[in-house]
């Protein structure tokens, strides 16, 4: 189905999210939407899906004019969107979520045996090894994302919109998704694909439309003939060479020492982090990366091992003890675990600073605003003001708010679990610059990422986990995608160790 937009505008009060945007998405093509966080990509996608009503403009489905489309009529027309925020109901089962649009009935009542049977068949067709009766809230983030995509594909949409749908997926999962998209494209569907990963865009997209600050910058009809340099320049207005380059910091004394850490998911993990150092942690989904961060933050009990902070042994019985020891966690799923989405930027930033901004247990508004305004400026959050609701921010700016919250506790070591997920090059550059500033001030950082180039760009050493154990450790100078890839997949026969500060 052909979708056309003409002179589209969308504003939120004084903020212009879309300004005079005209675009066209044709059948039997994958059309990429490119731009940095806050460029208007998600807003445009939601207008297409009927989730947002434009302030002005018109659009056409197969030549039929619409001033605006509501979500119900968009679905009836065959338009389906997988949003960044996700729309699965965590308290319901996999089967209930998968077949929510049309739960099978028998004699007027839902047939739960058919729900399980149909869901199992659909999951097998998408290569998903999930129990139809499992609660969605218990799934990993990548499993939830795949289920969200599978639910959209079961509707056999004429127009499928994917907003950063690959940000939490493994390489194998991305390949499975791309195979499904190619089949859908071959059947004549229109696919709008949003991703910050240019390698993915090049692999799956036929054409691209670039947005910047709500404006249409260019339409790229010849993706193979357009360099990454030109695409990035179009997206952010500056060349890739202007982005983050790590400032060399001489590591100080040992800050964190972990010896023989064992849990249900970890098998004798040992590591160390010095002041002024970034320790990268790599590994496949399920390798123990997130379990390591959550265990150090006191979220999981330990069976054995020793943790020392600045030489003193600590028992991390819970997050309170971890924070008191100077450790803070930026979780993998910021929306579920790191933010109060319905609250304002100011409320989120001040939540960990109530003691500083209160007097006799009462929060003083003026003190709070001074503290919040300073953080808002230091973190370079792009929003009209601190009164903006966090749910309305781009992914990159939401992540800055999470960082602001944890920094309020004056930590000595930050545990960052996939902090750059869903970020474009510009937002990622801001994040890396902030991390660089923190380590120059003497903080230690554990940086967990599935993006090998990010680890190589930021980390002083990279620890690789495989099936809950340390597969090896590589120094910055020796790190390469090939060597890391071998360790990550368990292909390297011997651990390669680059000893850190002890």
């Amino acid at each position: 189905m052909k979708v056309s937009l003409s002179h589209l505008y969308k504003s939120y009060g004084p903020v212009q999210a879309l300004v005079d945007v005209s675009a066209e998405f044709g059948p039997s093509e994958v059309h990429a939407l490119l731009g940095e966080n806050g460029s208007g990509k998600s807003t445009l996608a939601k207008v297409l899906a009927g989730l947002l009503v434009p302030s002005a403009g018109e659009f056409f489905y197969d030549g039929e004019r619409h001033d605006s489309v509501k979500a119900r009529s968009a679905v009836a027309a065959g338009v389906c969107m997988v949003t960044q925020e996700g729309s699965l109901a965590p308290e319901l089962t996999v089967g209930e979520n998968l077949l929510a649009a049309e739960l099978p009935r028998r004699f007027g009542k839902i047939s739960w045996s058919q729900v399980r049977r149909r869901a199992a068949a659909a999951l097998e067709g998408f290569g998903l090894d999930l129990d139809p009766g499992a609660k969605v809230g218990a799934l990993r983030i990548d499993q939830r994302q795949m289920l969200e995509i599978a639910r959209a594909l079961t509707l056999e949409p004429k127009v499928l919109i994917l907003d950063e749908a690959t940000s939490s997926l493994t390489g194998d999962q991305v390949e499975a998704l791309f195979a499904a998209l190619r089949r859908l494209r071959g059947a004549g569907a229109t696919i709008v694909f949003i991703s910050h990963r240019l390698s993915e865009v090049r692999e799956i997209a036929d054409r691209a439309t670039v947005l910047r600050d709500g404006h249409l910058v260019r339409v790229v009809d010849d993706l193979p003939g357009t360099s990454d340099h030109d695409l990035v320049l179009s997206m952010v207005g500056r060349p890739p060479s202007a982005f983050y380059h790590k400032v060399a910091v001489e590591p100080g004394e040992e800050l964190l020492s972990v010896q023989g850490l064992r849990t249900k998911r970890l098998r004798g993990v040992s590591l160390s982090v010095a002041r002024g150092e970034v320790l990268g942690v790599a590994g496949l989904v399920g390798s123990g990366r997130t379990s390591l961060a959550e265990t150090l933050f006191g979220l999981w009990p330990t069976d054995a091992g020793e943790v020392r902070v600045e030489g003193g042994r600590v028992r991390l019985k819970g997050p309170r003890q971890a924070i008191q020891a100077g450790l803070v966690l930026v979780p993998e799923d910021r929306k579920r675990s790191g933010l109060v989405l319905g609250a304002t930027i100011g409320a989120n930033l001040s939540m960990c600073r109530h003691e500083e901004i209160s007097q006799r247990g009462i929060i003083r508004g003026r003190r709070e605003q001074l503290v919040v305004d300073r953080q808002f400026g230091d973190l370079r959050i792009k929003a009209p003001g601190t009164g903006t609701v966090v749910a309305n921010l781009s992914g990159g700016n939401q992540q800055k708010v999470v960082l602001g919250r944890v920094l309020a506790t004056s930590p000595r070591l930050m545990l960052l679990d996939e902090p750059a997920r869903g970020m474009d090059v510009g937002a990622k550059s801001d994040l890396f610059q902030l991390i660089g500033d923190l380590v120059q001030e003497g903080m230690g950082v554990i940086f967990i990422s599935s993006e090998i180039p990010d680890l190589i760009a930021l980390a002083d050493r990279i620890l690789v986990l495989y099936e809950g154990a340390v597969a090896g450790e590589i120094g910055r100078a020796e790190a390469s995608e090939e060597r890391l890839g071998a360790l990550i997949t368990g292909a390297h026969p011997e651990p390669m160790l680059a000893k850190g500060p002890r």
Side-chain angles (χ1 to χ4, degrees):
M1 180 167 67
K2 183 178 179 180
V3 181
S4 302
L5 312 170
S6 180
H7 303 293
L8 207 66
Y9 289 79
K10 178 61 183 177
S11 61
Y12 298 94
V15 178
Q16 292 284 343
L18 295 174
V19 182
D20 196 22
V21 174
S22 297
E24 187 175 284
F25 309 93
S28 299
E29 80 162 349
V30 177
H31 195 121
L33 273 182
L34 302 178
E36 60 181 333
N37 291 101
S39 64
K41 305 187 303 293
S42 294
T43 300
L44 179 58
K46 288 178 179 178
V47 169
L48 283 174
L51 300 176
L52 288 176
V53 178
S55 304
E58 57 187 17
F59 50 97
F60 301 82
Y61 288 159
D62 270 344
E64 183 179 348
R65 181 181 178 276
H66 296 266
D67 291 320
S68 65
V69 174
K70 299 293 177 61
R72 182 174 297 180
S73 57
V75 170
V79 181
C80 186
M81 179 176 179
V82 177
T83 66
Q84 284 192 62
E85 298 83 6
S87 59
L88 298 176
E91 70 280 2
L92 299 182
T93 66
V94 169
E96 288 171 311
N97 274 279
L98 186 62
L99 304 176
E102 192 175 344
L103 287 169
R105 296 178 179 272
R106 182 178 174 84
F107 304 122
K109 294 183 179 180
I110 295 173
S111 172
W112 296 111
S113 61
Q114 287 191 51
V115 169
R116 289 188 64 89
R117 188 164 57 251
R118 290 190 190 180
L123 291 167
E124 184 179 357
F126 291 116
L128 289 177
D129 184 19
L130 297 176
D131 178 4
K135 290 289 181 70
V136 163
L139 301 181
R140 298 192 311 263
I141 187 171
D142 63 301
Q143 293 172 323
R144 295 199 305 270
Q145 188 67 61
M146 285 299 289
L147 180 61
E148 190 105 38
I149 294 167
R151 184 174 68 174
L153 292 173
T154 59
L155 299 174
E156 298 181 351
K158 296 178 182 178
V159 178
L160 177 62
I161 305 167
L162 300 173
D163 190 358
E164 295 290 359
T166 62
S167 62
S168 58
L169 302 185
T170 65
D172 289 343
Q173 289 169 334
V174 171
E175 284 305 310
L177 169 60
F178 283 4
L181 295 185
R182 291 185 183 104
R183 290 193 296 270
L184 195 62
R185 176 176 58 188
T190 301
I191 301 167
V192 179
F193 182 74
I194 299 174
S195 175
H196 67 285
R197 298 170 177 166
L198 290 181
S199 60
E200 292 181 352
V201 170
R202 291 194 177 283
E203 182 177 349
I204 194 65
D206 302 294
R207 297 193 300 142
T209 291
V210 182
L211 300 175
R212 187 167 75 232
D213 296 329
H215 294 77
L216 175 67
V217 176
R218 66 185 293 196
V219 176
V220 182
D221 292 316
D222 180 19
L223 269 174
T226 307
S227 68
D228 285 357
H229 179 281
D230 287 344
L231 289 174
V232 171
L233 189 60
S234 297
M235 286 191 287
V236 299
R238 56 193 192 277
S241 58
F243 295 124
Y244 178 78
H245 296 282
K246 189 177 188 301
V247 177
V249 178
E250 186 66 31
E253 68 274 14
E254 185 176 77
L255 180 60
L256 174 72
S257 172
V258 178
Q259 296 295 327
L261 191 63
R262 289 186 175 273
T263 69
K264 288 183 178 180
R265 298 172 176 84
L266 301 174
R267 299 186 292 124
V269 172
S270 298
L271 59 88
S272 71
V273 184
R275 287 189 174 278
E277 183 181 36
V278 178
L279 175 68
V281 178
L284 300 173
V285 172
S287 64
R289 302 173 312 174
T290 294
S291 296
L292 174 62
E294 292 179 345
T295 300
L296 291 175
F297 193 57
L299 294 174
W300 298 103
T302 60
D303 298 326
E306 181 180 82
V307 178
R308 291 182 176 272
V309 177
E310 293 187 327
R313 186 170 182 177
V314 295
R315 297 186 181 277
L316 303 175
K317 297 180 179 180
R320 183 183 296 274
Q321 288 75 26
I323 293 171
Q324 289 172 346
L327 278 62
V328 293
L329 171 65
V330 174
E332 179 182 24
D333 191 343
R334 58 179 172 260
K335 294 180 184 295
R336 294 183 67 190
S337 308
L339 293 166
V340 181
L341 292 172
T344 64
I345 295 172
N348 274 274
L349 288 175
S350 66
M351 281 178 182
C352 294
R353 310 192 76 160
H354 283 180
E355 189 172 312
E356 179 183 349
I357 62 179
S358 299
Q359 186 175 8
R360 297 178 182 177
I362 300 174
I363 294 176
R364 298 300 180 182
R366 187 175 179 185
R367 290 184 187 176
E368 180 183 26
Q369 196 61 49
L370 287 172
V371 168
V372 167
D373 285 345
R374 184 169 63 250
Q375 284 185 290
F376 184 80
D378 290 346
L379 293 166
R380 298 189 288 274
I381 299 171
K382 294 181 181 179
T386 59
T388 303
V389 174
V390 167
N392 295 330
L393 298 178
S394 67
N397 285 297
Q398 287 182 350
Q399 189 68 295
K400 290 179 181 180
V401 176
V402 179
L403 286 165
R405 282 185 63 183
V406 301
L407 287 172
T409 65
S410 301
R412 286 177 278 187
L413 184 137
M414 294 182 69
L415 303 159
L416 304 176
D417 192 358
E418 295 284 10
R421 171 166 287 155
M423 285 189 178
D424 61 80
V425 287
K428 191 180 292 187
S429 175
D430 287 345
L431 171 66
F432 286 7
Q433 185 62 58
L434 175 61
I435 294 172
D437 292 343
L438 294 172
V439 294
Q440 287 188 74
E441 295 169 6
M443 189 180 293
V445 173
I446 293 180
F447 178 79
I448 299 170
S449 178
S450 56
E451 302 280 353
I452 292 179
D454 290 354
L455 288 165
I456 293 173
L458 189 65
D460 297 291
R461 292 178 291 123
I462 302 171
L463 186 81
V464 181
L465 296 181
Y466 182 75
E467 294 183 349
V470 176
E473 186 179 305
I474 303 178
R476 177 182 177 85
E478 296 80 32
S480 69
E481 294 199 33
E482 292 75 21
R483 297 185 74 185
L484 285 169
L487 284 174
I488 286 169
T489 57
H492 202 279
E494 297 292 337
M496 296 180 289
L497 298 178
K499 299 291 186 182
R502 294 290 187 267

